[in-house]
Amino acid sequence: AVAAGFDECIMLTSQGNVAEGSTSNLFLVTGGGLVTPPVTEDILVGITRQTIMAIASTELGLSVTERVVNRSELYMADELFFCGTGAEVAGIGEVDSRRIGSGQIGPITRDVSDAALLLGIISGHDPLDSTSVELPVPPYTANLGAGVENLNVGLPKEYFTDGLDPDVREAVMRGVKILEGAGAHIEEVS
């Protein structure tokens, strides 16, 4: 996938059906609901996947279907996204050089309040994870309208090495200026 210019791959089963990404589960948004391959398609049963399914059905009122997914269905989906502990929720704009939907992150995966809701759900103690710690979960959704005035933001200097793409550096610095303009305090950290 990387050699072909893509950031991630979508793996198929031995029967040629859609399975998942290399480190993430996969969802299709189609017909106003979510579709994801079932665990019988040799996918990782991820906690983020289960959380997305719960949020979609209980909080967003979307139908969630686990079923075998044909590769050609990816091209016809309104939206596609990966989800996982590392990726959280990452929209997919293109598959096999074919644009998916508008080619942009769609309305199901776009809303920051959805991200705050997801973060609140997946943060917290997991009794099935021996590395999980029982600490209180901050009210992420409660602070969405609070603004960033007096927020302290650490900017790790190790992230800005010579190998950093200039466009990425410029985009981050634009974001830093927006935060500073809104009253946040930016500090270089190591």
Side-chain angles (χ1 to χ4, degrees):
V2 173
F6 294 98
D7 298 319
E8 175 63 285
C9 68
I10 296 175
M11 297 188 296
L12 304 177
T13 66
S14 58
Q15 291 80 32
N17 297 318
V18 173
E20 60 188 350
S22 63
T23 61
S24 306
N25 294 115
L26 177 80
F27 282 89
L28 293 79
V29 178
T30 183
L34 298 183
V35 175
T36 188
V39 296
T40 55
E41 292 297 285
D42 297 323
I43 66 167
L44 173 67
V45 182
I47 191 166
T48 307
R49 175 181 180 268
Q50 292 170 316
T51 303
I52 294 288
M53 292 167 67
I55 289 172
S57 63
T58 61
E59 301 292 329
L60 303 177
L62 298 172
S63 65
V64 179
T65 306
E66 291 180 86
R67 65 169 174 78
V68 173
V69 176
N70 187 291
R71 179 180 177 168
S72 63
E73 291 181 75
L74 298 176
Y75 311 135
M76 306 291 281
D78 299 320
E79 299 175 45
L80 296 175
F81 63 89
F82 287 122
C83 75
T85 303
E88 292 185 3
V89 176
I92 302 170
E94 196 174 291
V95 174
D96 294 336
S97 299
R98 298 177 188 186
R99 189 174 73 194
I100 305 304
S102 68
Q104 303 296 316
I105 295 173
I108 301 297
T109 55
R110 174 182 5 207
D111 194 325
V112 71
S113 62
D114 294 340
L117 181 64
L118 173 63
L119 189 56
I121 291 171
I122 65 173
S123 292
H125 180 64
D126 179 0
L128 301 177
D129 181 355
S130 63
T131 65
S132 176
V133 179
E134 249 182 280
L135 294 173
V137 176
Y140 295 108
T141 56
N143 297 321
L144 287 176
V148 297
E149 190 171 346
N150 296 320
L151 180 70
N152 293 316
V153 178
L155 198 60
K157 66 181 179 181
E158 290 84 3
Y159 291 0
F160 295 90
T161 62
D162 290 338
L164 181 64
D165 184 291
D167 292 337
V168 171
R169 181 186 308 270
E170 183 181 326
V172 169
M173 296 317 292
R174 277 195 314 266
V176 165
K177 288 191 182 303
I178 291 169
L179 287 171
E180 285 178 324
H185 303 287
I186 311 297
E187 181 179 336
E188 187 178 89
V189 295
S190 179

Short mmCIF file of all heavy atoms in Angstrom, two decimals, residues 8-11 19-26 82:
data_model
loop_
_atom_site.label_atom_id
_atom_site.label_comp_id
_atom_site.label_asym_id
_atom_site.label_seq_id
_atom_site.Cartn_x
_atom_site.Cartn_y
_atom_site.Cartn_z
N GLU A 8 -2.35 3.28 4.16
CA GLU A 8 -2.81 2.08 4.86
C GLU A 8 -3.36 1.10 3.82
O GLU A 8 -3.68 1.48 2.70
CB GLU A 8 -3.90 2.48 5.86
CG GLU A 8 -4.58 1.35 6.60
CD GLU A 8 -3.67 0.52 7.49
OE1 GLU A 8 -2.90 -0.29 6.95
OE2 GLU A 8 -3.75 0.65 8.72
N CYS A 9 -3.45 -0.15 4.21
CA CYS A 9 -4.02 -1.15 3.31
C CYS A 9 -5.32 -1.69 3.91
O CYS A 9 -5.55 -1.59 5.11
CB CYS A 9 -3.04 -2.30 3.07
SG CYS A 9 -2.74 -3.31 4.53
N ILE A 10 -6.15 -2.23 3.05
CA ILE A 10 -7.34 -2.94 3.49
C ILE A 10 -7.10 -4.39 3.15
O ILE A 10 -6.89 -4.75 1.99
CB ILE A 10 -8.61 -2.41 2.79
CG1 ILE A 10 -8.86 -0.96 3.20
CG2 ILE A 10 -9.81 -3.30 3.14
CD1 ILE A 10 -10.01 -0.29 2.49
N MET A 11 -7.08 -5.22 4.18
CA MET A 11 -6.78 -6.63 3.97
C MET A 11 -8.05 -7.40 3.62
O MET A 11 -9.15 -7.06 4.08
CB MET A 11 -6.12 -7.21 5.22
CG MET A 11 -4.79 -6.53 5.50
SD MET A 11 -3.84 -7.31 6.82
CE MET A 11 -4.88 -7.04 8.22
N ALA A 19 -11.71 -7.62 5.15
CA ALA A 19 -11.48 -7.99 6.55
C ALA A 19 -11.31 -6.72 7.38
O ALA A 19 -12.22 -6.31 8.09
CB ALA A 19 -10.27 -8.90 6.68
N GLU A 20 -10.14 -6.08 7.27
CA GLU A 20 -9.82 -4.91 8.11
C GLU A 20 -8.57 -4.24 7.58
O GLU A 20 -7.99 -4.67 6.59
CB GLU A 20 -9.61 -5.36 9.56
CG GLU A 20 -8.46 -6.36 9.70
CD GLU A 20 -8.35 -6.97 11.09
OE1 GLU A 20 -9.04 -6.50 12.01
OE2 GLU A 20 -7.58 -7.92 11.25
N GLY A 21 -8.13 -3.16 8.26
CA GLY A 21 -6.85 -2.55 7.96
C GLY A 21 -5.75 -3.32 8.65
O GLY A 21 -6.01 -4.29 9.37
N SER A 22 -4.51 -2.91 8.46
CA SER A 22 -3.40 -3.65 9.07
C SER A 22 -3.40 -3.54 10.59
O SER A 22 -2.94 -4.45 11.27
CB SER A 22 -2.07 -3.18 8.49
OG SER A 22 -1.86 -1.81 8.80
N THR A 23 -3.90 -2.44 11.12
CA THR A 23 -3.95 -2.27 12.58
C THR A 23 -5.30 -1.75 13.07
O THR A 23 -5.43 -1.36 14.22
CB THR A 23 -2.87 -1.27 13.05
OG1 THR A 23 -3.11 0.01 12.44
CG2 THR A 23 -1.48 -1.75 12.70
N SER A 24 -6.28 -1.72 12.20
CA SER A 24 -7.57 -1.10 12.53
C SER A 24 -8.73 -1.88 11.96
O SER A 24 -8.59 -2.56 10.95
CB SER A 24 -7.63 0.32 11.96
OG SER A 24 -6.54 1.09 12.35
N ASN A 25 -9.88 -1.73 12.59
CA ASN A 25 -11.12 -2.29 12.04
C ASN A 25 -11.66 -1.32 11.00
O ASN A 25 -11.27 -0.15 10.95
CB ASN A 25 -12.15 -2.50 13.15
CG ASN A 25 -11.72 -3.57 14.13
OD1 ASN A 25 -11.49 -3.29 15.29
ND2 ASN A 25 -11.60 -4.80 13.67
N LEU A 26 -12.56 -1.80 10.17
CA LEU A 26 -13.09 -1.02 9.05
C LEU A 26 -14.61 -0.93 9.14
O LEU A 26 -15.28 -1.92 9.46
CB LEU A 26 -12.69 -1.68 7.73
CG LEU A 26 -13.22 -1.03 6.47
CD1 LEU A 26 -12.36 0.18 6.11
CD2 LEU A 26 -13.23 -2.01 5.33
N PHE A 82 -11.52 3.80 9.27
CA PHE A 82 -10.83 2.85 10.13
C PHE A 82 -11.08 3.27 11.57
O PHE A 82 -11.26 4.46 11.85
CB PHE A 82 -9.31 2.89 9.90
CG PHE A 82 -8.84 2.28 8.62
CD1 PHE A 82 -8.11 3.04 7.71
CD2 PHE A 82 -9.08 0.95 8.33
CE1 PHE A 82 -7.65 2.47 6.54
CE2 PHE A 82 -8.61 0.37 7.16
CZ PHE A 82 -7.90 1.15 6.26
#
